[in-house]
Amino acid sequence: MTTTAHPLIARARQLAAELLAPNAEGVDQEGVPPSHVEEIKRSGLLGLNAPKEYGGADASAPVARRVAEILAGACCSTWFVQTQHHTPVTTLAKSKGAVRERLLGPLARGELMSGVAYAHLRSYPRTPVRVVRDRKGWRFDGSVPWYTGWGLNDVMLLAGWTDTGEALFAFTEAREQRGLRASGPMRLAALTAARTVSLELDGLWLPDEATVLRIPHEGWLAADRARTMNASPAAFGIAEAALGLLDEDIAGPLRGRLDEVRCRAYTLADRSAPDEHAEERLALRIQAFEVMQETTTAAVVAGGGRALTLTNKAQRLAREGMFLLVQGQTAESRRAHLGALAGNAR
């Protein structure tokens, strides 16, 4: 089976064409509705990376990337809510124990959807969320600055640092409960629709059976570094959507640039070990952002004054592109991006 013929890609295209793209401007202003989440659950896309024996598709990296491009280009807010789900699934798939058997099947089959609360780990050695041993479990205290999908997710994968320098990950229900309180929804320049809040943890207790991973800080930071060096498929999806707003004489050269950068980025990602070719992979990540910004800027320019209305697709894509510039950002990727911008200005 070719990648383009994969049934999950066909489902993503159908979902994008019939539901996500036609409603994207409304969602951008009003929020991702539960009905969108229910359609994502029914589509089978939440099992994209899950093992087949648990009801998932165990899809290849090219299939997963193409699905992400399609969903992000149709409605970036909905894509961002559902993309949180895949890290909990892959984390469970690599684990053993009670929480795997309890949650992996329901998550793979789309019966439940998970969010994530771990980006704050990137601020190490600061520890915004601290975890200490308490009875036959763990106590979480501190603040999670960003949690996406509040009110849409069923469970969350929550992480914090122990006093021995381990990152500890555990599952809990994605709702207010004793020791867990959410802020109001954040108003953001882009993707307010994704229902992002902050979380205050004050003695949230989770049993040992909820724990899915404990890893020393060096190991987690190295794995996170490897993940965040690659170009984001969502950037290519946004760029493709913007190209659709342009006349072919303008779109053609930009499309050629997009295809070249995407091919190089994906080829290098597939052929490299996690710690290889870091500088080149970061450079291609930045080039993907540059292509995305070029195409979305062109769409705004082509739209003229109409592009500034909140019901216009061009301005939405431009704002979503701005969001992707900092999504999944690490200190290393920020330095590389700023260095490239400074170099281009010379």
Side-chain angles (χ1 to χ4, degrees):
M1 180 189 302
T2 64
T3 297
T4 55
H6 197 284
L8 287 183
I9 291 179
R11 288 177 212 167
R13 286 198 180 106
Q14 181 180 14
L15 193 65
E18 297 179 0
L19 179 67
L20 302 187
N23 295 289
E25 276 67 59
V27 166
D28 178 61
Q29 296 302 305
E30 299 170 13
V32 175
S35 57
H36 273 38
V37 171
E38 291 306 311
E39 288 301 321
I40 291 284
K41 286 180 173 180
R42 281 193 285 267
S43 72
L45 294 174
L46 293 184
L48 189 69
N49 299 321
K52 290 182 178 179
E53 60 267 30
Y54 285 84
D58 194 20
S60 66
V63 169
R65 289 191 296 245
R66 186 59 189 148
V67 167
E69 289 175 0
I70 292 166
L71 297 183
C75 178
C76 196
S77 293
T78 302
W79 164 78
F80 191 53
V81 169
Q82 67 81 42
T83 202
Q84 314 294 311
H85 177 89
H86 301 297
T87 296
V89 167
T90 54
T91 303
L92 281 169
K94 295 174 183 177
S95 72
K96 298 179 181 179
V99 68
R100 171 189 169 111
E101 298 311 312
R102 177 168 61 89
L103 287 178
L104 185 52
L107 292 174
R109 295 187 296 269
E111 296 163 11
L112 299 174
M113 188 167 75
S114 182
V116 295
Y118 69 77
H120 51 275
L121 294 180
R122 295 183 181 127
S123 64
Y124 189 87
R126 290 195 301 110
T127 56
V129 176
R130 302 168 301 283
V131 188
V132 297
R133 188 70 177 160
D134 185 3
R135 294 165 287 162
K136 295 182 179 180
W138 300 90
R139 174 185 170 121
F140 289 76
D141 291 281
S143 299
V144 174
W146 307 94
Y147 180 82
T148 294
W150 186 253
L152 298 171
N153 295 318
D154 303 292
V155 296
M156 73 170 76
L157 179 60
L158 171 65
W161 292 111
T162 70
D163 55 8
T164 58
E166 286 185 312
L168 186 144
F169 292 75
F171 280 91
T172 187
E173 293 183 0
R175 60 172 179 82
E176 289 204 345
Q177 53 189 289
R178 184 175 180 180
L180 189 160
R181 186 177 70 256
S183 71
M186 295 183 186
R187 294 292 299 170
L188 305 171
L191 272 70
T192 286
R195 302 197 188 190
T196 298
V197 300
S198 61
L199 303 175
E200 291 300 319
L201 307 173
D202 183 14
L204 174 68
W205 182 84
L206 299 178
D208 284 333
E209 293 75 19
T211 302
V212 67
L213 176 66
R214 292 174 62 181
I215 181 171
H217 75 271
E218 299 94 338
W220 186 85
L221 292 170
D224 184 63
R225 175 179 181 267
R227 283 191 299 269
T228 54
M229 282 192 297
N230 293 324
S232 168
F236 297 124
I238 294 289
E240 279 191 344
L243 288 175
L245 301 177
L246 299 172
D247 292 337
E248 187 55 32
D249 60 331
I250 302 299
L254 290 170
R255 185 177 294 108
R257 170 78 167 142
L258 184 154
D259 290 343
E260 176 207 355
V261 173
R262 175 164 51 190
C263 180
R264 290 170 57 206
Y266 288 171
T267 298
L268 191 61
D270 288 340
R271 292 180 179 175
S272 303
D275 59 347
E276 291 180 337
H277 303 293
E279 186 174 339
E280 189 175 355
R281 288 158 67 188
L282 277 172
L284 286 166
R285 173 186 170 95
I286 294 163
Q287 289 174 41
F289 287 150
E290 290 172 348
V291 173
M292 176 189 68
Q293 289 184 291
E294 289 168 0
T295 57
T296 56
T297 299
V300 170
V301 172
R306 294 185 304 276
L308 299 183
T309 63
L310 290 178
T311 56
N312 186 274
K313 183 175 180 178
Q315 59 78 31
R316 173 177 61 81
L317 292 172
R319 288 187 292 107
E320 290 171 348
M322 180 178 66
F323 170 84
L324 292 179
L325 295 178
V326 297
Q327 187 259 327
Q329 186 186 65
T330 65
E332 182 179 15
S333 66
R334 182 187 299 113
R335 284 194 301 270
H337 199 167
L338 291 172
L341 291 170
N344 291 341
R346 293 191 182 101

